[in-house]
Amino acid sequence: MIELDGVTFTYAGEATPALQQLDLRIGAGELWAVLGPTGAGKSTLCSLLAGFIPHFYRGSLRGKVRVAGIDVPGSSLGEMSEHVGSVFQNPFNQVTGARYTVREEIGFGLENLGVPRPAMLERIERSLALTGLSELAERSPYALSGGQQQRLAIASILALRPKLMILDEPTSQLDPAGTGQVFTLLRDLVSAGETTVVVAEQRLEWVARAADRCLVLQSGTKAAEGTPSDVLSSPEAEGWGLCQSRFSRAARAAVAQGVTPLGRQLPHTLDQAVEYFR
Amino acid sequence: MGLLLAVAFAVPWWACYLTLGLLVLPLAALGRLFGPLTRTLWKLVLPFAVPILLIQGFFWGEGEVLFTLGPLSFYRLGLIFAAASIGRIAMLGGCFLLLSMTTRIDMLMRALVERGLPNQALYLVVTTLQLVPRFEAQAHRIQDAQRARGLETEGSIARRARALVPLIGPLLLASLMDVEERALALEARGFSRRGPRTSLVTLRDTPLQRWLRLALWLLAATLILYRLVSWITR
């Protein structure tokens, strides 16, 4: 689904590259989390995969970028939008403002892609059902909560049936309930084979719960790659700028005080913690 | 709107009151909009009506005097001329309000796009109207934050006007920052894609509506032509 070979990108007017010599392979039907501290290059990677780099943000791009079988630099945003869907941080800014109901808002992208009306209706209903918004279909998009608006943004992209969904910190402005809704939905979509997901995220507890694989970025380079357990349990995790979850902090304290033995896999979710301390 | 303006000035002034009384207001009542429409129309027309009445009435300067107020005389012809101008404004306002209160703007714009208006124009008009409340909410948020830091935003008109100055910068900056994400969100949904587009909304256009439209076009053209001919042959 994604092939990056030796990708280096420097924003116009900047001296330091935002991404450096990045190699990455992501297969279809996986949920990947991109982790790293602020300024690590997560948003730049998301923009690159969505085609906003180099078609919206200008700069110097080197290396090979293929997404969903498309050579990204040789493509256009219009073409990319048929294969790759993007969801951003602020749910409010993703409401187009051009439609009056949730149902019509989901239809906006389909209209742009020229999907015939009968197919459009079917896709809208399916997106509404998948995102749990069916009962809110006739409401104004502006009358939804933040979590509901973010689910609407996902539903709007989902209706386009993208091969790949890119989400750049989609839960940064949501409360814990809204965050839970979004991650549960993403996991369900990937498990149902609807799409492939790449999500830049800071909330490690949810990453551990939902992601298949993690990529850790540090100063624009790949610091680590692996399963959530491997990455988050790594002794180098704090050095990569990843904050430990409350569960792994408690487990480390337990090990330090000799309550639990050394060498066991650290917990990162509530379920894992229950099992660990049992 | 241009056609409506032309018609408003093509018909005799009393016909404006007739149109308002026999067409616009009954249609508004039929749509259960009589109260909202008349209230809005009143607020719309009053700021024009008062100065027109005063200026035309007192400064017409010839003909029968209706009453005097100190050194000023109020003329009958001035009153008639003012009534004509106010009637035209009221008819224009009434028609426009009836249209805006009974028609979803996106439907109207969709109809215009189907008649050749660029799709981008549809987006611009509809979002501008929808974004006004959002812009207002953002301004309130910034003002609340400024109030929390000690800026006085209430009190006399002068004080409130002064409080607007520090609001402009953050409001503009916040809006510009939003624009980037909004533009990307639109691109992600194929806004700049070339090729044919479809529409979820289907516009209902019955034969009766089409005939009525044609009749109204013909009526408007006849009225304008009649007015032009009477001016030329006068």
Side-chain angles (χ1 to χ4, degrees), chain B residues 116-134:
Chain B
L117 195 78
N119 198 52
Q120 278 77 2
L122 179 149
Y123 179 77
L124 272 181
V125 173
V126 178
T127 44
T128 306
L129 291 175
Q130 287 232 71
L131 284 178
V132 170
R134 207 190 143 204

Side-chain angles (χ1 to χ4, degrees), chain A residues 78-79 81-82 112-114, chain B residues 187 190-197:
Chain A
E79 190 189 347
S81 69
E82 294 180 39
N112 290 332
L113 296 191
Chain B
E187 291 299 346
F191 189 64
S192 67
R193 179 187 167 271
R194 286 160 198 235
R197 286 164 201 261

Side-chain angles (χ1 to χ4, degrees), chain A residues 7-19:
Chain A
V7 171
T8 298
F9 178 73
T10 311
Y11 285 101
E14 296 289 327
T16 318
L19 292 176

Side-chain angles (χ1 to χ4, degrees), chain A residues 52 56-57 77-78 81-82 86 88-90 92-100 103-106 108-117 120-121 124 142 156-157 160, chain B residues 104-107 110 119 122-123 126-131 134 177-202:
Chain A
F52 299 135
F56 188 89
Y57 296 113
L77 278 179
S81 69
E82 294 180 39
S86 295
F88 304 90
Q89 288 185 19
N90 189 339
F92 215 77
N93 284 345
Q94 293 170 84
V95 176
T96 61
R99 297 294 181 267
Y100 285 71
R103 188 188 302 279
E104 291 170 7
E105 179 71 19
I106 297 173
F108 179 82
L110 297 168
E111 291 175 339
N112 290 332
L113 296 191
V115 175
R117 193 168 180 273
M120 202 187 292
L121 291 170
I124 291 171
Y142 289 113
S156 302
I157 292 301
L160 306 178
Chain B
R104 263 180 52 172
I105 193 75
D106 60 330
M107 299 275 193
R110 170 65 54 194
N119 198 52
L122 179 149
Y123 179 77
V126 178
T127 44
T128 306
L129 291 175
Q130 287 232 71
L131 284 178
R134 207 190 143 204
M177 282 162 71
D178 280 357
V179 163
E180 184 176 291
E181 198 167 77
R182 194 171 281 279
L184 289 175
L186 283 177
E187 291 299 346
R189 288 158 75 179
F191 189 64
S192 67
R193 179 187 167 271
R194 286 160 198 235
R197 286 164 201 261
T198 46
S199 172
L200 175 66
V201 178
T202 47

Side-chain angles (χ1 to χ4, degrees), chain A residues 1-81:
Chain A
M1 181 61 64
I2 295 173
E3 295 170 49
L4 302 186
D5 287 317
V7 171
T8 298
F9 178 73
T10 311
Y11 285 101
E14 296 289 327
T16 318
L19 292 176
Q20 292 185 65
Q21 285 301 319
L22 191 62
D23 298 316
L24 186 64
R25 290 282 183 282
I26 293 181
E30 293 179 31
L31 197 162
W32 276 66
V34 182
L35 312 175
T38 306
K42 301 189 298 293
S43 292
T44 304
L45 178 62
C46 289
S47 295
L48 180 73
L49 298 179
F52 299 135
I53 290 174
H55 301 297
F56 188 89
Y57 296 113
R58 302 292 169 187
S60 148
L61 175 66
R62 280 184 285 127
K64 183 180 147 195
V65 188
R66 283 189 75 79
V67 174
I70 302 168
D71 174 47
V72 174
S75 175
S76 67
L77 278 179
E79 190 189 347
M80 291 296 293
S81 69

Side-chain angles (χ1 to χ4, degrees), chain A residues 247-267 276-277:
Chain A
F247 307 116
S248 57
R249 270 203 309 273
R252 280 181 205 277
V255 170
Q257 290 178 24
V259 178
T260 51
L262 189 65
R264 283 178 63 191
Q265 184 84 290
L266 295 176
Y276 183 87
F277 288 108

